[in-house]
Each structure stands twice: as C-alpha cells, then as structure tokens.
Amino acid sequence: MVPGPSATEASDAIGGRRRRIPRGEVQRQVILDGFESLLGRMPVADISVKDITDAAGIKRPNFYFYFESKSDVLGELVGGAWDDWAETIGSYHRRAGESHSGYFDRLFGQSYTAWVEHDQVMVAGVQATGYDDKVRSRWTELVDGLNSHLSEQMGRDAEAGLINPVSDDYTAIVERLTDMIVMAFYQDRSLKPAEAESARMLAALKAISLGAWGVTQ
C-alpha cells in the first residue's frame, strides 16, 4: 500500500519546538533529492524512473503517488530554484531610488548566483525544453512571468523619461535580452570557466542590457 501524505514519520526543531513533518513531505523531498543527485552523474535524458527510485531508495508505486513522470520532478526542481531566486531579489520591479545599474545587478547578479547554486538543475531544465513538453511548458511559464514584469518596468521608465529604449516594442526587447542571458548562463554553468571569465560575461550582459534599455544616467 502506498503511504498517503497525511502520515507522519519525522520531525525538525523550529524555535525550540519540534514540528512533525508529514510523511508525504519527506517522501516527496527524497524523490526530488534523488533525482538531483543523479543529474551530477548522468544526462537528464538518460535518467529513468527506475534510476530515480533506486537513488531515492523507494519503490516505484511510491514515486507515482507523488509524480506522474520524471518531467514533473524536473519541473518542480526548476520551479523551486526559480522561487529561491525570486525570494532573494524581493521584487522584479525597480525600487524607489534604485539606479538601473543597481537594478540589473540585483536581478541578474542574483539570478546568476541562483544558477551557480542550482547549476545541475538549471542546465538540465534548459536541455529538457528541447524535447520535453511538460518541462518546456513550465519553463515558458516562468520566463513569460519574468518578461511581463520587465516589460512593465521598461514602459514605466520610458514614460517617465528615464530611459530611451532602442525600440518601442518593449516586450520584444525584454524577450531577446532574457533569451540571451539564459543562454549565457547555460553555457557558463555547462563549461564552468574561471571566475574571471564569468565576471566578464556578467559585465558584458549588463552593458548590453543597459544599452538596449537606453539608460542615459
């Protein structure tokens, strides 16, 4: 019998008290951790459900209680990495008094940090968008949300006379910049060059982005 998420089997210490962790939460995380550990040893396309259950130390029916496929596992891992980044930056919009230079440092500097921390997941996620409809859909949803916020910010800044974008099609500018940044991060995390080379890459992306936004101050 597959255990349901209402069962409990573990606890952790929070604020001096112990909280019971639902069994389902533990098992779900075991599956996610098992999949992520495999990404360091084999290409994502080669990973099977059996590989995941073996790595997680669970039976196959337990896997399907929580996930329909390995695509769902990868999609959740990518979403989790994205959520960590979003929580770190605090807001997609430029804050009061924040320069555009500081804005890009906060958004894309922190984004790169998230890629470094979750590089195996993010690289696998980008690779899977080429052949997996579920992962592609999840990735597109996340990127579209980001681009929407950035386009809105560009529009507000242009209307306020703070920038002079290279085109009136703000959405197209933002989409192409995001595509460029994702591919640059993907290549960087795939090759893992020296830190100096990564720093040059980040500086170039920032310069191109500021130029496309038409930042004059």
Side-chain angles (χ1 to χ4, degrees):
M1 178 178 179
V2 179
S6 61
T8 59
E9 66 174 8
S11 60
D12 66 348
I14 299 178
R17 296 177 299 172
R18 299 190 68 80
R19 177 178 69 87
R20 298 290 292 178
I21 302 177
R23 180 181 178 86
E25 182 180 329
V26 173
Q27 292 242 328
R28 190 179 191 88
Q29 190 60 50
V30 164
I31 294 170
L32 293 168
D33 292 343
F35 186 97
E36 188 165 1
S37 71
L38 290 170
L39 293 175
R41 307 199 299 271
M42 57 198 301
V44 62
D46 294 342
I47 297 175
S48 66
V49 171
K50 184 179 185 305
D51 292 325
I52 300 172
T53 57
D54 288 347
I58 64 172
K59 296 180 179 179
R60 193 179 185 91
N62 294 58
F63 174 90
Y64 287 112
F65 186 87
Y66 300 102
F67 298 98
E68 292 185 0
S69 66
K70 75 171 188 179
S71 301
D72 292 330
V73 184
L74 180 56
E76 184 160 328
L77 285 170
V78 169
W82 198 286
D83 289 343
D84 287 347
W85 167 62
E87 183 177 351
T88 300
I89 65 173
S91 171
Y92 291 113
H93 295 150
R94 195 168 59 83
R95 295 166 176 166
E98 184 176 39
S99 69
H100 285 89
S101 177
Y103 179 55
F104 284 107
D105 285 340
R106 178 167 61 84
L107 260 63
F108 297 112
Q110 290 295 337
S111 178
Y112 178 71
T113 298
W115 272 73
V116 172
E117 293 176 352
H118 303 280
D119 54 4
Q120 294 173 349
V121 168
M122 299 302 282
V123 167
V126 172
Q127 291 173 342
T129 60
Y131 60 82
D132 190 301
D133 290 341
K134 282 189 174 182
V135 176
R136 184 187 306 115
S137 177
R138 177 61 172 147
W139 187 273
T140 299
E141 176 188 1
L142 293 167
V143 171
D144 285 351
L146 170 64
N147 288 341
S148 177
H149 288 297
L150 295 179
S151 298
E152 291 171 3
Q153 184 64 60
M154 180 179 285
R156 284 194 295 271
D157 288 348
E159 185 176 354
L162 301 176
I163 59 174
N164 184 26
V166 295
S167 167
D168 292 335
D169 191 343
Y170 305 146
T171 298
I173 296 174
V174 165
E175 288 175 348
R176 298 293 75 77
L177 287 174
T178 299
D179 289 345
M180 176 187 66
I181 291 169
V182 167
M183 286 300 103
F185 286 1
Y186 170 77
Q187 183 179 41
D188 179 272
R189 290 298 83 206
S190 297
L191 301 177
K192 294 183 173 61
E195 289 186 10
E197 286 303 307
S198 295
R200 290 183 65 219
M201 176 270 294
L202 289 170
L205 292 177
K206 179 178 177 179
I208 294 169
S209 297
L210 290 174
W213 277 58
V215 176
T216 58
Q217 56 182 355

